[in-house]
mmCIF file of all heavy atoms in Angstrom:
data_model
loop_
_atom_site.group_PDB
_atom_site.id
_atom_site.type_symbol
_atom_site.label_atom_id
_atom_site.label_comp_id
_atom_site.label_asym_id
_atom_site.label_seq_id
_atom_site.Cartn_x
_atom_site.Cartn_y
_atom_site.Cartn_z
ATOM 1 N N ALA A 114 -7.111 99.001 -102.341
ATOM 2 C CA ALA A 114 -5.739 98.817 -101.756
ATOM 3 C C ALA A 114 -5.249 100.224 -101.328
ATOM 4 O O ALA A 114 -4.541 100.408 -100.277
ATOM 5 C CB ALA A 114 -4.883 98.323 -102.759
ATOM 6 N N ALA A 117 -6.840 101.284 -98.182
ATOM 7 C CA ALA A 117 -6.149 100.485 -97.061
ATOM 8 C C ALA A 117 -4.736 101.069 -96.700
ATOM 9 O O ALA A 117 -4.477 101.011 -95.453
ATOM 10 C CB ALA A 117 -6.026 99.085 -97.291
ATOM 11 N N MET A 118 -3.909 101.448 -97.651
ATOM 12 C CA MET A 118 -2.824 102.098 -97.459
ATOM 13 C C MET A 118 -2.852 103.379 -96.559
ATOM 14 O O MET A 118 -2.160 103.654 -95.473
ATOM 15 C CB MET A 118 -1.987 102.240 -98.662
ATOM 16 C CG MET A 118 -1.495 100.997 -99.341
ATOM 17 S SD MET A 118 -0.634 101.505 -100.878
ATOM 18 C CE MET A 118 -0.358 99.817 -101.540
ATOM 19 N N SER A 121 -3.771 102.628 -93.129
ATOM 20 C CA SER A 121 -2.603 102.082 -92.370
ATOM 21 C C SER A 121 -1.666 103.253 -91.936
ATOM 22 O O SER A 121 -1.246 103.370 -90.796
ATOM 23 C CB SER A 121 -1.743 101.211 -93.294
ATOM 24 O OG SER A 121 -2.508 100.020 -93.622
ATOM 25 N N LEU A 139 9.641 101.075 -90.568
ATOM 26 C CA LEU A 139 9.837 99.697 -91.153
ATOM 27 C C LEU A 139 8.552 98.939 -91.074
ATOM 28 O O LEU A 139 8.217 98.268 -92.060
ATOM 29 C CB LEU A 139 10.971 99.036 -90.333
ATOM 30 C CG LEU A 139 11.201 97.602 -90.821
ATOM 31 C CD1 LEU A 139 11.669 97.557 -92.285
ATOM 32 C CD2 LEU A 139 12.259 96.891 -89.949
ATOM 33 N N LEU A 140 7.921 98.881 -89.980
ATOM 34 C CA LEU A 140 6.642 98.164 -89.861
ATOM 35 C C LEU A 140 5.624 98.744 -90.724
ATOM 36 O O LEU A 140 4.770 98.113 -91.377
ATOM 37 C CB LEU A 140 6.190 98.201 -88.400
ATOM 38 C CG LEU A 140 7.147 97.349 -87.419
ATOM 39 C CD1 LEU A 140 6.628 97.565 -85.982
ATOM 40 C CD2 LEU A 140 7.186 95.911 -87.709
ATOM 41 N N LEU A 141 5.472 100.130 -90.859
ATOM 42 C CA LEU A 141 4.516 100.707 -91.781
ATOM 43 C C LEU A 141 4.811 100.367 -93.239
ATOM 44 O O LEU A 141 3.922 100.046 -94.063
ATOM 45 C CB LEU A 141 4.513 102.114 -91.661
ATOM 46 C CG LEU A 141 3.557 102.901 -92.435
ATOM 47 C CD1 LEU A 141 2.124 102.548 -92.186
ATOM 48 C CD2 LEU A 141 3.774 104.513 -92.141
ATOM 49 N N GLY A 142 6.061 100.380 -93.600
ATOM 50 C CA GLY A 142 6.491 99.980 -94.923
ATOM 51 C C GLY A 142 6.141 98.502 -95.205
ATOM 52 O O GLY A 142 5.645 98.187 -96.312
ATOM 53 N N LEU A 143 6.279 97.555 -94.298
ATOM 54 C CA LEU A 143 5.934 96.256 -94.403
ATOM 55 C C LEU A 143 4.511 96.102 -94.620
ATOM 56 O O LEU A 143 3.935 95.310 -95.485
ATOM 57 C CB LEU A 143 6.488 95.349 -93.187
ATOM 58 C CG LEU A 143 7.909 95.174 -93.111
ATOM 59 C CD1 LEU A 143 8.359 94.557 -91.877
ATOM 60 C CD2 LEU A 143 8.441 94.366 -94.387
ATOM 61 N N ARG A 144 3.736 96.856 -93.890
ATOM 62 C CA ARG A 144 2.203 96.823 -93.979
ATOM 63 C C ARG A 144 1.879 97.236 -95.368
ATOM 64 O O ARG A 144 0.922 96.578 -95.927
ATOM 65 C CB ARG A 144 1.573 97.576 -92.885
ATOM 66 C CG ARG A 144 0.064 97.538 -92.815
ATOM 67 C CD ARG A 144 -0.524 98.407 -91.722
ATOM 68 N NE ARG A 144 -0.270 97.932 -90.375
ATOM 69 C CZ ARG A 144 -0.703 98.435 -89.296
ATOM 70 N NH1 ARG A 144 -1.635 99.461 -89.423
ATOM 71 N NH2 ARG A 144 -0.556 97.905 -88.142
ATOM 72 N N ILE A 145 2.282 98.233 -95.786
ATOM 73 C CA ILE A 145 1.902 98.928 -97.158
ATOM 74 C C ILE A 145 2.359 97.889 -98.136
ATOM 75 O O ILE A 145 1.673 97.723 -99.184
ATOM 76 C CB ILE A 145 2.590 100.293 -97.328
ATOM 77 C CG1 ILE A 145 1.869 101.318 -96.381
ATOM 78 C CG2 ILE A 145 2.414 100.793 -98.710
ATOM 79 C CD1 ILE A 145 2.398 102.653 -96.364
ATOM 80 N N ALA A 146 3.672 97.271 -98.060
ATOM 81 C CA ALA A 146 4.106 96.337 -99.081
ATOM 82 C C ALA A 146 3.176 95.136 -99.129
ATOM 83 O O ALA A 146 2.822 94.555 -100.085
ATOM 84 C CB ALA A 146 5.554 95.924 -98.753
ATOM 85 N N ILE A 147 2.693 94.653 -97.950
ATOM 86 C CA ILE A 147 1.742 93.457 -97.955
ATOM 87 C C ILE A 147 0.382 93.778 -98.715
ATOM 88 O O ILE A 147 -0.077 93.079 -99.397
ATOM 89 C CB ILE A 147 1.500 93.019 -96.519
ATOM 90 C CG1 ILE A 147 2.873 92.405 -96.037
ATOM 91 C CG2 ILE A 147 0.440 92.010 -96.346
ATOM 92 C CD1 ILE A 147 2.765 92.006 -94.375
ATOM 93 N N ILE A 148 -0.013 95.072 -98.312
ATOM 94 C CA ILE A 148 -1.257 95.421 -99.066
ATOM 95 C C ILE A 148 -1.091 95.514 -100.572
ATOM 96 O O ILE A 148 -1.900 95.084 -101.273
ATOM 97 C CB ILE A 148 -1.718 96.721 -98.403
ATOM 98 C CG1 ILE A 148 -2.165 96.633 -97.022
ATOM 99 C CG2 ILE A 148 -2.912 97.327 -99.229
ATOM 100 C CD1 ILE A 148 -2.513 97.958 -96.398
ATOM 101 N N ALA A 149 -0.044 96.050 -100.997
ATOM 102 C CA ALA A 149 0.298 96.308 -102.441
ATOM 103 C C ALA A 149 0.502 94.779 -103.055
ATOM 104 O O ALA A 149 -0.074 94.593 -104.192
ATOM 105 C CB ALA A 149 1.685 97.004 -102.622
ATOM 106 N N LEU A 150 1.137 93.826 -102.421
ATOM 107 C CA LEU A 150 1.303 92.544 -102.996
ATOM 108 C C LEU A 150 -0.017 91.737 -103.035
ATOM 109 O O LEU A 150 -0.290 90.986 -104.033
ATOM 110 C CB LEU A 150 2.348 91.823 -102.122
ATOM 111 C CG LEU A 150 3.795 92.137 -102.110
ATOM 112 C CD1 LEU A 150 4.648 91.422 -101.240
ATOM 113 C CD2 LEU A 150 4.282 91.970 -103.508
ATOM 114 N N ALA A 151 -0.928 92.007 -101.967
ATOM 115 C CA ALA A 151 -2.216 91.326 -102.026
ATOM 116 C C ALA A 151 -3.052 91.962 -103.082
ATOM 117 O O ALA A 151 -3.667 91.113 -103.842
ATOM 118 C CB ALA A 151 -2.777 91.575 -100.606
ATOM 119 N N ALA A 152 -2.911 93.288 -103.358
ATOM 120 C CA ALA A 152 -3.684 93.755 -104.553
ATOM 121 C C ALA A 152 -3.131 93.254 -105.986
ATOM 122 O O ALA A 152 -3.900 92.974 -106.785
ATOM 123 C CB ALA A 152 -3.564 95.370 -104.447
ATOM 124 N N ILE A 153 -1.747 93.091 -106.000
ATOM 125 C CA ILE A 153 -1.271 92.670 -107.322
ATOM 126 C C ILE A 153 -1.657 91.166 -107.426
ATOM 127 O O ILE A 153 -2.015 90.770 -108.575
ATOM 128 C CB ILE A 153 0.325 92.812 -107.229
ATOM 129 C CG1 ILE A 153 0.616 94.271 -107.318
ATOM 130 C CG2 ILE A 153 0.947 92.140 -108.527
ATOM 131 C CD1 ILE A 153 2.055 94.635 -107.111
ATOM 132 N N TRP A 154 -1.621 90.499 -106.349
ATOM 133 C CA TRP A 154 -1.971 89.049 -106.438
ATOM 134 C C TRP A 154 -3.432 88.774 -106.847
ATOM 135 O O TRP A 154 -3.865 87.910 -107.578
ATOM 136 C CB TRP A 154 -1.792 88.377 -105.085
ATOM 137 C CG TRP A 154 -2.255 86.868 -105.056
ATOM 138 C CD1 TRP A 154 -1.625 85.813 -105.629
ATOM 139 C CD2 TRP A 154 -3.448 86.388 -104.540
ATOM 140 N NE1 TRP A 154 -2.370 84.652 -105.324
ATOM 141 C CE2 TRP A 154 -3.517 85.085 -104.735
ATOM 142 C CE3 TRP A 154 -4.416 87.130 -103.761
ATOM 143 C CZ2 TRP A 154 -4.665 84.312 -104.173
ATOM 144 C CZ3 TRP A 154 -5.537 86.383 -103.248
ATOM 145 C CH2 TRP A 154 -5.579 84.916 -103.438
ATOM 146 N N THR A 155 -4.319 89.779 -106.271
ATOM 147 C CA THR A 155 -5.679 89.679 -106.689
ATOM 148 C C THR A 155 -5.992 90.019 -108.120
ATOM 149 O O THR A 155 -6.839 89.447 -108.661
ATOM 150 C CB THR A 155 -6.505 90.587 -105.749
ATOM 151 O OG1 THR A 155 -6.227 90.389 -104.489
ATOM 152 C CG2 THR A 155 -8.001 90.428 -105.945
#
Side-chain angles (χ1 to χ4, degrees):
M118 290 179 187
S121 299
L139 176 62
L140 294 175
L141 180 60
L143 289 175
R144 182 182 291 188
I145 292 176
I147 289 173
I148 294 173
L150 289 176
I153 293 173
W154 174 78
T155 308

